[in-house]
Amino acid sequence: MNVHSTHTAANGSTHRHLLGIEDLSREDVFRILDRAMFYIENNRHQDKKHPILKGRTIINLFYENSTRTRTSFELAGKRLGADVINMTVASSSVKKGETLIDTAMTINAMHPDCIAMRHPESGACHLLAQKVNCSVINGGDGMHEHPTQALLDALTIMQHKGKIEGLQVAICGDILHSRVARSNIKLLNMLGAKVRIIAPPTLMPSCPESFGVEPFHDMRKGLKGCDIIIMLRLQLERMEGNFIPSVREYFHFWGLNEEKLSYAKPDALIMHPGPINRGVEIDSKLADDLNRSVILQQVEMGVAVRQAALEFLLHDHG
Amino acid sequence: MNVHSTHTAANGSTHRHLLGIEDLSREDVFRILDRAMFYIENNRHQDKKHPILKGRTIINLFYENSTRTRTSFELAGKRLGADVINMTVASSSVKKGETLIDTAMTINAMHPDCIAMRHPESGACHLLAQKVNCSVINGGDGMHEHPTQALLDALTIMQHKGKIEGLQVAICGDILHSRVARSNIKLLNMLGAKVRIIAPPTLMPSCPESFGVEPFHDMRKGLKGCDIIIMLRLQLERMEGNFIPSVREYFHFWGLNEEKLSYAKPDALIMHPGPINRGVEIDSKLADDLNRSVILQQVEMGVAVRQAALEFLLHDHG
Amino acid sequence: MNVHSTHTAANGSTHRHLLGIEDLSREDVFRILDRAMFYIENNRHQDKKHPILKGRTIINLFYENSTRTRTSFELAGKRLGADVINMTVASSSVKKGETLIDTAMTINAMHPDCIAMRHPESGACHLLAQKVNCSVINGGDGMHEHPTQALLDALTIMQHKGKIEGLQVAICGDILHSRVARSNIKLLNMLGAKVRIIAPPTLMPSCPESFGVEPFHDMRKGLKGCDIIIMLRLQLERMEGNFIPSVREYFHFWGLNEEKLSYAKPDALIMHPGPINRGVEIDSKLADDLNRSVILQQVEMGVAVRQAALEFLLHDHG
């Protein structure tokens, strides 16, 4: 565990957090991925319980709707034997309600062992972690980070390629707003992959090189020779007319289809954090091609990686 | 178990489902009802746990709001020791969200053992069952089926009459749109009851005889000599002006009151799937008459039957 | 247990309820507070399970949104090993839905052991208790009572002052609409405190003396020499223009700040049921002053007191 992965709370106690990829050393990452392998297997059995967190309390604090991620955390906690409490805060009620800090302090007083939070504002999880006496997992904060997504993506790649070091990985789409892209870039760089980002100019961050990646404005050039293609979800509601001319044109230039895919290596994997917009980021048939697309395996890896992360944070204090 | 009750999923594995009454043989039905008797008793104890599904995962996937049915499935699963996850999908968000198939595949990747689904479209549960590697229970799909409702109704009748064979059963009200009616007609016919349906012309299906029932357009004639009266819920919001002239007139002609009830046998039971619209389908005093109405016992039987169904699908693979 | 704390249900069975402070004798109160001390300690451990309610079913029936109180009851039940089911009924859907009595009877048929209910109408929990065969805990009903809040407040005071008898307690703010005030006045009087209420004329009940309290219309006079200050939450949405001229003016006259606080004893505690409106009922800095404000300890006591109340109602039938 490196120095970043514990934080001192207001009251002086320290707890492990998973707020971003920087909280993890290479050693931590491999430890989590190793344990996740165990949980992948365990979740395929009838009896999926591995109750190492019996008697512990996990709170899912979601300020954005995400049935998929919330369910993944809920399953991970319950299969480890913890009590899991869902607190979904509609963003509409945030204004007339408590501040995040007051909510955090209130939850903290109930003695949770871990809070998994999703929040629309970047940095919200760091703020939470400063205020509470328990572990915090960032389940996605604004445009900042989504570390368990990066870990599950790494696990998926490891399962298929046996390694990450030296692989050519292209991340494609709305890089500018994507916490998935940020966490993946950091983790893939740490693990020795070569990362390219492919985006239209309006969705490309201003200094892409500062992230340690190679930027492309052309899908065919960017995909050339790639081992892994990570397509990002387009937040349709905030896109059209502002960042992209139309969904149809976006698909034409930036959507993944057979023709563009042919520029990547023949055994290149197609990944997507889900839920996919069929015919926007990716051709519908391609998304369903089980020889190329590993989107559903990513979901399976998600539960296992979250179990391993919970074990890492809450169980094996060494 | 008859040939219909297993289905082959896309990946070739087979699982038991309860999508409709056709999934069950007479033998299956009696096996479920027998086990339900055990759970009725068990649920009356302080310690209601019978943890035969410990370590298993059940997902309640509800595309329509139904606190009653969702709670019944949740209690059934938890009392059997399973982890139960609620996923409520507001129908308003379905349009901008994933397709049912993408949601199904995503949930499936998390390795549930059973999905209990309610969905506004007929056939949705069959579609789900084709896509997943776990058992599916139809918790009500459009105007199609609601098999656990029919099973709990059969159990309620058995408890009071000791048999179903040979009984005269009248199902009254909005037969046209009712999945409760469809599942009950199939199950009651299978078990040897004589089924009549009573409805205004606008709410009667076009070829009632094809269901193996005797249609009536007059409550007094239809109820004559009946042992069992199953009143259906009127979906008020879609009724008035389209299918019925007014709620008041509906009650006058088709609502159950003392006078109409007098045409049935003196010991006839009054049933209703709930929630009741007092003064619409049924006179308020009659609904509360514990000598005649078994509506609350139906709720009790509901939990027990769902426990038995979960055991049947998930536990005793023979 | 005094004669008020059991009630005879429609079917003749008796169950303990916690509907209001009158349900408790002094002896009951001290028994609950004593047990709560055990749970405070227990909740600070890693393993927080004390599964004396294993196999039991608790239903959280909330007709008003209150993530805080619902979570507190949910945690209390789960840490005692019970199955906890959340049923949140949006008040908007109550009109087109079932009556409270029909919902109560339906839930009752599922054999819960306890229902914790919050409801916007005073007396709703008493109605519920008359209809069901299980224990009922009032989690707040209209302007009537909120007994677990009063118990957790008493526990918080005991923790700091070692006693309640003889203490001067001021309850300040919207006394008129406050169930927290009503329950606290009853419990504090029972335990021998001297209770003052401080409110603007528009928010003062008509015969304050009949409650056994001393009314004040001036904060400085009312706070003089007090040991405990309980600030009430202002329901902002229904206030402005009706009961108070403006939030700003309310804070000027009735909000707690350093200057007004100086009239109380130097070691006076500041309490608030939460969530606080910063700068309305209380100065923001003062709310965060851990030497004076025990608002977060109240939250911690809340879980412990609810565990003790559940144990009292469900476990030790003596």
Side-chain angles (χ1 to χ4, degrees):
Chain A
M1 197 173 64
N2 72 1
V3 289
H4 296 97
S5 59
T6 55
H7 296 254
T8 304
N11 70 348
S13 73
T14 57
H15 292 273
R16 285 185 175 184
H17 301 299
L18 182 50
L19 306 177
I21 294 301
E22 286 105 339
D23 285 328
L24 301 171
S25 66
R26 264 180 72 95
E27 197 193 0
D28 293 337
V29 170
F30 284 114
R31 197 159 145 210
I32 292 173
L33 297 184
D34 269 1
R35 280 308 283 166
M37 304 282 283
F38 166 79
Y39 288 112
I40 295 171
E41 194 49 40
N42 204 251
N43 289 336
R44 290 173 179 168
H45 295 161
Q46 276 209 359
D47 185 351
K48 297 157 192 74
K49 278 280 189 213
H50 184 65
I52 56 167
L53 299 185
K54 196 162 175 298
R56 314 291 285 272
T57 302
I58 297 170
I59 301 212
N60 273 338
L61 178 60
F62 272 59
Y63 284 84
E64 288 183 342
N65 245 335
S66 171
T67 309
R68 170 189 294 252
T69 307
R70 195 263 300 158
T71 300
S72 187
F73 274 112
E74 186 176 352
L75 269 177
K78 286 183 168 174
R79 285 177 180 169
L80 296 179
D83 290 326
V84 183
I85 307 274
N86 290 314
M87 294 180 70
T88 304
V89 187
S91 51
S92 59
S93 79
V94 171
K95 265 185 190 157
K96 63 172 184 172
E98 288 181 301
T99 64
L100 173 59
I101 292 178
D102 281 342
T103 301
M105 300 295 275
T106 299
I107 293 174
N108 188 52
M110 297 183 187
H111 294 295
D113 296 277
C114 182
I115 301 172
M117 181 164 88
R118 168 159 293 193
H119 198 281
E121 285 172 47
S122 307
C125 294
H126 281 81
L127 183 60
L128 181 70
Q130 284 166 25
K131 295 294 174 184
V132 298
N133 302 312
C134 68
S135 292
V136 173
I137 299 182
N138 183 351
D141 64 327
M143 304 186 289
H144 179 231
E145 282 234 33
H146 190 359
T148 56
Q149 178 72 43
L151 287 166
L152 74 88
D153 287 343
L155 184 62
T156 308
I157 296 171
M158 288 286 282
Q159 292 268 306
H160 281 271
K161 300 294 183 188
K163 60 163 189 178
I164 289 178
E165 187 141 23
L167 294 182
Q168 286 280 5
V169 183
I171 306 177
C172 317
D174 180 6
I175 308 285
L176 181 62
H177 301 99
S178 174
R179 53 198 177 206
V180 173
R182 265 163 205 61
S183 288
N184 260 312
I185 289 169
K186 288 177 185 172
L187 183 59
L188 290 166
N189 274 335
M190 182 202 284
L191 301 180
K194 290 167 201 147
V195 183
R196 306 166 180 185
I197 57 178
I198 313 176
T202 52
L203 296 173
M204 179 70 84
S206 50
C207 298
E209 293 81 2
S210 67
F211 296 110
V213 298
E214 199 183 350
F216 288 85
H217 288 297
D218 180 290
M219 279 288 274
R220 290 170 191 80
K221 288 182 191 162
L223 292 178
K224 199 164 176 202
C226 274
D227 300 283
I228 309 290
I229 305 166
I230 299 178
M231 302 303 298
L232 299 174
R233 175 172 169 80
L234 209 59
Q235 301 294 330
L236 292 178
E237 53 281 15
R238 63 179 181 197
M239 284 293 133
E240 212 155 336
N242 292 307
F243 295 98
I244 62 171
S246 74
V247 161
R248 196 187 170 95
E249 189 168 331
Y250 183 86
F251 182 67
H252 178 72
F253 285 108
W254 309 100
L256 190 66
N257 60 9
E258 284 286 359
E259 187 269 329
K260 290 179 200 134
L261 179 61
S262 69
Y263 287 80
K265 285 201 184 146
D267 61 349
L269 295 185
I270 303 171
M271 300 174 70
H272 190 294
I276 59 174
N277 296 304
R278 291 171 175 273
V280 181
E281 302 111 29
I282 188 165
D283 176 73
S284 198
K285 231 187 284 176
L286 210 51
D288 294 333
D289 179 349
L290 297 179
N291 293 317
R292 309 304 299 270
S293 158
V294 294
I295 298 173
L296 293 171
Q297 285 160 60
Q298 289 173 273
V299 176
E300 182 184 14
M301 300 301 114
V303 179
V305 142
R306 286 171 184 121
Q307 287 174 289
L310 285 169
E311 178 175 338
F312 174 77
L313 297 176
L314 300 183
H315 189 58
D316 59 350
H317 291 267
Chain B
M1 199 176 63
N2 71 2
V3 290
H4 295 98
S5 58
T6 55
H7 296 256
T8 303
N11 71 347
S13 73
T14 57
H15 291 274
R16 286 185 174 183
H17 300 298
L18 181 51
L19 305 177
I21 293 301
E22 285 105 340
D23 286 327
L24 301 170
S25 66
R26 263 181 73 96
E27 197 193 359
D28 293 336
V29 170
F30 284 113
R31 197 158 145 209
I32 292 173
L33 297 184
D34 269 1
R35 280 308 283 166
M37 305 279 283
F38 166 79
Y39 288 113
I40 295 171
E41 194 50 39
N42 205 251
N43 289 336
R44 291 174 179 167
H45 295 161
Q46 277 208 359
D47 185 351
K48 297 158 192 72
K49 278 279 188 213
H50 185 66
I52 56 169
L53 299 184
K54 197 161 175 298
R56 315 290 286 272
T57 302
I58 298 172
I59 301 214
N60 273 338
L61 179 60
F62 272 59
Y63 283 86
E64 288 182 341
N65 245 333
S66 171
T67 309
R68 169 189 296 252
T69 306
R70 195 264 299 158
T71 301
S72 186
F73 274 112
E74 187 177 351
L75 269 177
K78 286 183 168 175
R79 286 178 179 168
L80 296 179
D83 289 327
V84 182
I85 307 275
N86 290 314
M87 294 179 71
T88 304
V89 188
S91 52
S92 61
S93 80
V94 170
K95 264 184 189 160
K96 61 173 185 171
E98 288 181 303
T99 64
L100 172 59
I101 292 177
D102 281 342
T103 302
M105 300 296 275
T106 299
I107 293 174
N108 188 52
M110 297 185 188
H111 295 295
D113 296 275
C114 182
I115 301 171
M117 182 164 87
R118 167 159 293 192
H119 199 281
E121 285 172 47
S122 308
C125 293
H126 280 82
L127 183 61
L128 180 70
Q130 284 166 25
K131 294 293 172 184
V132 297
N133 302 312
C134 68
S135 292
V136 173
I137 300 183
N138 183 350
D141 65 327
M143 303 188 288
H144 179 233
E145 282 233 34
H146 191 359
T148 56
Q149 179 72 43
L151 287 166
L152 74 87
D153 288 343
L155 183 62
T156 308
I157 297 172
M158 288 286 283
Q159 292 268 305
H160 281 271
K161 301 294 184 188
K163 60 162 190 180
I164 289 177
E165 188 141 23
L167 294 182
Q168 286 280 4
V169 182
I171 305 177
C172 318
D174 180 5
I175 308 286
L176 181 62
H177 301 99
S178 174
R179 53 199 177 205
V180 174
R182 264 163 206 62
S183 288
N184 260 312
I185 289 167
K186 288 177 184 172
L187 183 58
L188 290 166
N189 274 335
M190 183 203 282
L191 300 180
K194 287 166 203 150
V195 183
R196 306 167 180 185
I197 57 178
I198 313 176
T202 52
L203 295 173
M204 180 69 86
S206 50
C207 297
E209 292 82 2
S210 68
F211 296 111
V213 297
E214 198 182 351
F216 288 84
H217 288 298
D218 180 290
M219 280 287 274
R220 291 169 190 82
K221 287 182 190 160
L223 291 178
K224 199 163 176 205
C226 273
D227 299 282
I228 308 291
I229 304 167
I230 299 177
M231 302 303 299
L232 299 174
R233 176 172 168 82
L234 208 60
Q235 300 295 331
L236 291 178
E237 54 281 15
R238 63 179 181 198
M239 284 292 132
E240 211 155 336
N242 293 308
F243 294 98
I244 61 171
S246 75
V247 162
R248 196 187 170 95
E249 187 167 332
Y250 183 86
F251 181 68
H252 178 71
F253 285 108
W254 309 101
L256 190 65
N257 59 10
E258 284 286 359
E259 187 269 328
K260 289 178 200 133
L261 178 61
S262 69
Y263 287 80
K265 285 201 185 146
D267 61 351
L269 295 185
I270 303 171
M271 300 174 70
H272 189 295
I276 58 173
N277 296 303
R278 291 171 175 274
V280 181
E281 303 111 29
I282 188 165
D283 175 73
S284 198
K285 233 188 282 178
L286 210 52
D288 294 333
D289 179 350
L290 297 179
N291 293 317
R292 310 303 300 270
S293 157
V294 294
I295 298 173
L296 293 171
Q297 286 161 58
Q298 290 173 273
V299 176
E300 182 184 14
M301 302 301 114
V303 179
V305 142
R306 286 174 184 119
Q307 287 174 289
L310 285 169
E311 178 175 339
F312 174 76
L313 297 176
L314 299 183
H315 189 59
D316 59 352
H317 291 268
Chain C
M1 197 175 66
N2 71 2
V3 290
H4 296 99
S5 59
T6 56
H7 296 254
T8 303
N11 71 347
S13 73
T14 58
H15 292 274
R16 286 185 174 184
H17 301 298
L18 181 51
L19 306 177
I21 294 301
E22 286 105 340
D23 286 328
L24 301 171
S25 66
R26 263 180 72 94
E27 196 194 0
D28 293 336
V29 170
F30 284 114
R31 198 159 144 209
I32 292 174
L33 297 185
D34 269 1
R35 280 309 283 167
M37 305 280 284
F38 166 79
Y39 288 113
I40 294 171
E41 195 48 42
N42 205 252
N43 289 336
R44 290 173 180 167
H45 295 161
Q46 277 209 0
D47 185 351
K48 298 158 191 74
K49 279 280 189 211
H50 185 66
I52 56 168
L53 299 185
K54 197 163 174 300
R56 315 291 285 273
T57 303
I58 297 171
I59 302 213
N60 273 338
L61 179 61
F62 272 59
Y63 283 85
E64 288 183 342
N65 245 334
S66 171
T67 308
R68 170 189 295 253
T69 306
R70 196 263 300 159
T71 301
S72 187
F73 275 112
E74 186 176 351
L75 269 178
K78 286 183 168 174
R79 286 179 180 168
L80 296 178
D83 290 326
V84 183
I85 307 274
N86 290 315
M87 294 179 70
T88 304
V89 187
S91 52
S92 59
S93 79
V94 170
K95 266 185 188 155
K96 62 173 185 171
E98 289 180 301
T99 63
L100 172 59
I101 292 178
D102 280 343
T103 301
M105 301 296 275
T106 299
I107 293 174
N108 188 52
M110 297 183 188
H111 295 295
D113 295 277
C114 182
I115 302 171
M117 181 164 87
R118 168 160 293 193
H119 199 281
E121 286 172 45
S122 307
C125 294
H126 281 81
L127 184 61
L128 180 71
Q130 285 166 25
K131 295 294 172 184
V132 297
N133 302 313
C134 68
S135 292
V136 174
I137 299 183
N138 183 351
D141 65 327
M143 304 186 288
H144 180 232
E145 281 233 34
H146 191 0
T148 56
Q149 178 72 43
L151 287 166
L152 75 88
D153 288 342
L155 184 62
T156 307
I157 297 171
M158 288 287 283
Q159 292 268 304
H160 282 270
K161 301 294 183 187
K163 61 163 189 178
I164 289 177
E165 189 140 23
L167 294 181
Q168 285 280 5
V169 183
I171 306 177
C172 319
D174 181 5
I175 309 285
L176 181 63
H177 302 99
S178 174
R179 53 200 177 205
V180 173
R182 264 162 205 62
S183 288
N184 260 313
I185 289 168
K186 287 177 185 172
L187 183 59
L188 290 166
N189 274 334
M190 182 202 284
L191 300 180
K194 288 167 203 147
V195 184
R196 306 165 181 187
I197 56 178
I198 313 176
T202 52
L203 296 173
M204 180 68 87
S206 49
C207 298
E209 292 82 2
S210 68
F211 295 111
V213 298
E214 200 182 348
F216 288 85
H217 287 298
D218 180 290
M219 279 288 274
R220 290 169 191 82
K221 288 181 191 162
L223 291 179
K224 201 164 174 202
C226 274
D227 299 283
I228 307 291
I229 305 167
I230 299 177
M231 302 303 299
L232 299 174
R233 177 173 166 81
L234 208 59
Q235 300 294 329
L236 292 179
E237 53 281 15
R238 62 178 180 197
M239 284 292 131
E240 212 156 334
N242 293 307
F243 295 96
I244 61 171
S246 75
V247 161
R248 197 187 169 95
E249 189 169 331
Y250 182 86
F251 181 68
H252 178 72
F253 286 108
W254 309 101
L256 189 66
N257 60 10
E258 283 286 357
E259 187 269 329
K260 288 179 200 135
L261 178 61
S262 69
Y263 288 81
K265 285 203 185 144
D267 62 348
L269 295 185
I270 303 171
M271 301 174 69
H272 190 295
I276 58 173
N277 295 303
R278 290 172 175 273
V280 180
E281 302 112 29
I282 187 164
D283 175 73
S284 199
K285 233 188 282 177
L286 210 51
D288 293 334
D289 180 349
L290 297 179
N291 292 316
R292 309 305 300 269
S293 158
V294 294
I295 298 174
L296 293 170
Q297 286 161 58
Q298 289 173 273
V299 176
E300 183 184 14
M301 300 301 115
V303 179
V305 142
R306 286 172 183 119
Q307 286 173 290
L310 285 168
E311 178 175 339
F312 174 76
L313 296 176
L314 300 183
H315 189 58
D316 59 351
H317 291 268

